[in-house]
Amino acid sequence: MSKKKRAKAAEPSRSQNAVLFISIAEIAAASFTLIMAIMALMGLQNAEVQAALSDALAKSGSTLSFDDMIAMITTATVVELICGAGCIITGIFGIRISQESSLALTYSKLCLFTLVLAGVGAVASIQADTIFISFVLLAITALLYLYVKKVRAEAESQASKKRRKR
């Protein structure tokens, strides 16, 4: 192989560069989600926050009990924590995919799983009141999935070209 071909083969494609950028954005958004979820869980343990929630519940005229409301918010926040952790892991693998396109063959299913997980987190965020960041994370995860799919297609075509040459 000539030097030009080796240099071109080592150079990442546009899709791989997009995967790197989107993976970094996903890690940042997921980290923010984790911080917000941890702060929410810590806040639920505070007596002043509990008193404010109780007052807000009484003023709303809801039939929901205070304990049920706390359980619902806690459950949604824990789902957000799990979603954020999964997105961080997928973001790390996305960085690896951006460096080596053949890994897209292995990790594309992980991206699909994380997309579903981010969707569940977005639905749970409606209860936890972190809607905006959760839907941003869902959109970033969808972009990552689409670009990993592109990188996977490129890697499969390169692999088939290598098989034909043999």
Side-chain angles (χ1 to χ4, degrees), residues 4 10 25 42 44 53 55 59 62 75 78 101-102 104 106-107 114 120 124 130 154:
K4 285 184 182 179
M42 289 172 56
L44 287 174
L53 286 173
D55 291 343
K59 288 179 185 175
S62 175
T75 303
V78 168
S101 64
S102 64
T106 307
Y107 295 127
T114 306
V120 170
T130 55
E154 291 171 4

Side-chain angles (χ1 to χ4, degrees), residues 22 115 118 122 133-146:
I22 295 168
L115 181 60
I133 190 63
S134 296
F135 280 95
V136 167
L137 188 59
L138 178 63
I140 291 171
T141 305
L143 274 175
L144 181 64
Y145 175 69
L146 291 175

Side-chain angles (χ1 to χ4, degrees), residues 96-118:
R96 294 212 39 220
I97 289 169
S98 72
Q99 295 168 353
E100 189 177 336
S101 64
S102 64
L103 293 175
L105 300 171
T106 307
Y107 295 127
S108 64
K109 298 287 187 211
L110 176 67
C111 288
L112 180 61
F113 173 74
T114 306
L115 181 60
V116 172
L117 186 66

Side-chain angles (χ1 to χ4, degrees), residues 19 23 88-98 103 107 110:
V19 166
S23 295
I88 286 176
I89 292 168
T90 301
I92 291 168
F93 283 118
I95 291 172
R96 294 212 39 220
I97 289 169
S98 72
L103 293 175
Y107 295 127
L110 176 67

